[in-house]
Amino acid sequence: DAKTTQPPSMDCAEGRAANLPCNHSTISGNEYVYWYRQIHSQGPQYIIHGLKNNETNEMASLIITEDRKSSTLILPHATLRDTAVYYCIVRVITNAGKSTFGDGTTLTVKP
Amino acid sequence: GAVVSQHPSRVICKSGTSVKIECRSLDFQATTMFWYRQFPKQSLMLMATSNEGSKATYEQGVEKDKFLINHASLTLSTLTVTSAHPEDSSFYICSARNAAAGQGAGDVLTFGAGSRLTVL
């Protein structure tokens, strides 16, 4: 799996968009970008994933740069319940799901 | 959506005893499940990959005789912490991959809520 780099922490005002960056400069052509989050004392929750095109679902949007060396997870209207640790994971889809977690970004949404 | 149930959510045991944690996929079959351990203020550390009907694959540094994994059916994997000691106190989390969904669904993982083990 390609190594990822994320800022250790970020703050965001409630109701504003939260933009969480992830650097994966060594990503290979067949590796996908996955985002999970972990709310305190719970198991991680899948958010979104993508290969090279931008993706959007009911939870978030994923913007992947054209060279695929970095990506941004966007929570369009952050709420207090979005306070969590967000993990960016890069891996091949044929790895049977095996995922290695880095340190992630602690997002704190403030009122 | 896919749901993974983990039991117990909390367990306290005496040093030297063994503790079993169950991980069940409730509405899908999981040929592969993963077990993670998480210490306070740290990230998840992959311990082992549990494969239905075969032996688990352990990550480097994880003692297979200490952490026994059994994946006897397509919906159940168990982790047994044998002869637990205070240093084994941690948050144990399982995850499962939907065998039917496969690559077409993005090969995402569904995680259990975790089991907090405290060894006295």
Side-chain angles (χ1 to χ4, degrees):
Chain A
D1 298 349
K3 179 178 171 56
T4 60
T5 303
Q6 299 177 252
S9 64
M10 293 182 64
D11 290 343
C12 176
E14 187 178 20
R16 304 297 293 268
N19 298 287
L20 293 94
C22 180
N23 187 293
H24 32 79
S25 58
T26 61
I27 190 170
S28 300
N30 61 346
E31 289 184 309
Y32 283 67
V33 180
Y34 291 79
W35 284 84
Y36 290 83
R37 73 179 182 183
Q38 184 180 25
I39 296 171
H40 183 62
S41 294
Q42 297 182 24
Q45 174 191 25
Y46 165 77
I47 301 173
I48 199 168
H49 76 284
L51 180 62
K52 55 182 179 181
N53 297 320
N54 298 337
E55 303 287 344
T56 295
N57 62 21
E58 64 279 4
M59 290 184 67
S61 295
L62 173 61
I63 308 298
I64 303 174
T65 58
E66 192 169 343
D67 63 7
R68 303 209 321 124
K69 293 185 177 182
S70 66
S71 61
T72 301
L73 177 73
I74 301 173
L75 307 178
H77 305 287
T79 70
L80 298 179
R81 288 176 294 181
D82 291 322
T83 293
V85 180
Y86 288 76
Y87 297 98
C88 168
I89 296 169
V90 172
R91 65 171 178 86
V92 295
I93 208 166
T94 56
N95 208 15
K98 182 176 178 180
S99 301
T100 302
F101 284 75
D103 293 331
T105 295
T106 299
L107 174 69
T108 302
V109 180
K110 298 185 175 181
Chain B
V3 177
V4 171
S5 174
Q6 203 173 325
H7 179 80
S9 58
R10 291 179 179 272
V11 57
I12 300 173
C13 71
K14 294 182 179 180
S15 185
T17 61
S18 294
V19 175
K20 180 184 286 187
I21 301 170
E22 292 187 348
C23 179
R24 293 181 184 273
S25 55
L26 297 186
D27 49 2
F28 66 97
Q29 294 184 330
T31 54
T32 305
M33 292 186 175
F34 302 93
W35 286 95
Y36 292 83
R37 180 169 55 180
Q38 186 176 34
F39 293 109
K41 298 189 183 300
Q42 294 186 20
S43 185
L44 286 77
M45 185 193 79
L46 180 64
M47 299 175 66
T49 302
S50 170
N51 300 299
E52 188 267 337
S54 64
K55 291 183 178 180
T57 303
Y58 291 81
E59 296 299 304
Q60 190 173 7
V62 178
E63 301 174 56
K64 61 180 181 181
D65 295 329
K66 172 79 171 173
F67 300 99
L68 301 179
I69 293 173
N70 184 280
H71 193 156
S73 77
L74 286 172
T75 59
L76 174 64
S77 176
T78 61
L79 168 69
T80 301
V81 183
T82 62
S83 187
H85 291 284
E87 57 266 30
D88 298 321
S89 297
S90 188
F91 192 49
Y92 292 87
I93 308 168
C94 72
S95 68
R97 174 178 174 265
N98 189 332
Q103 297 184 23
D107 205 27
V108 303
L109 296 179
T110 302
F111 287 80
S115 299
R116 188 163 302 282
L117 170 64
T118 302
V119 185
L120 302 177

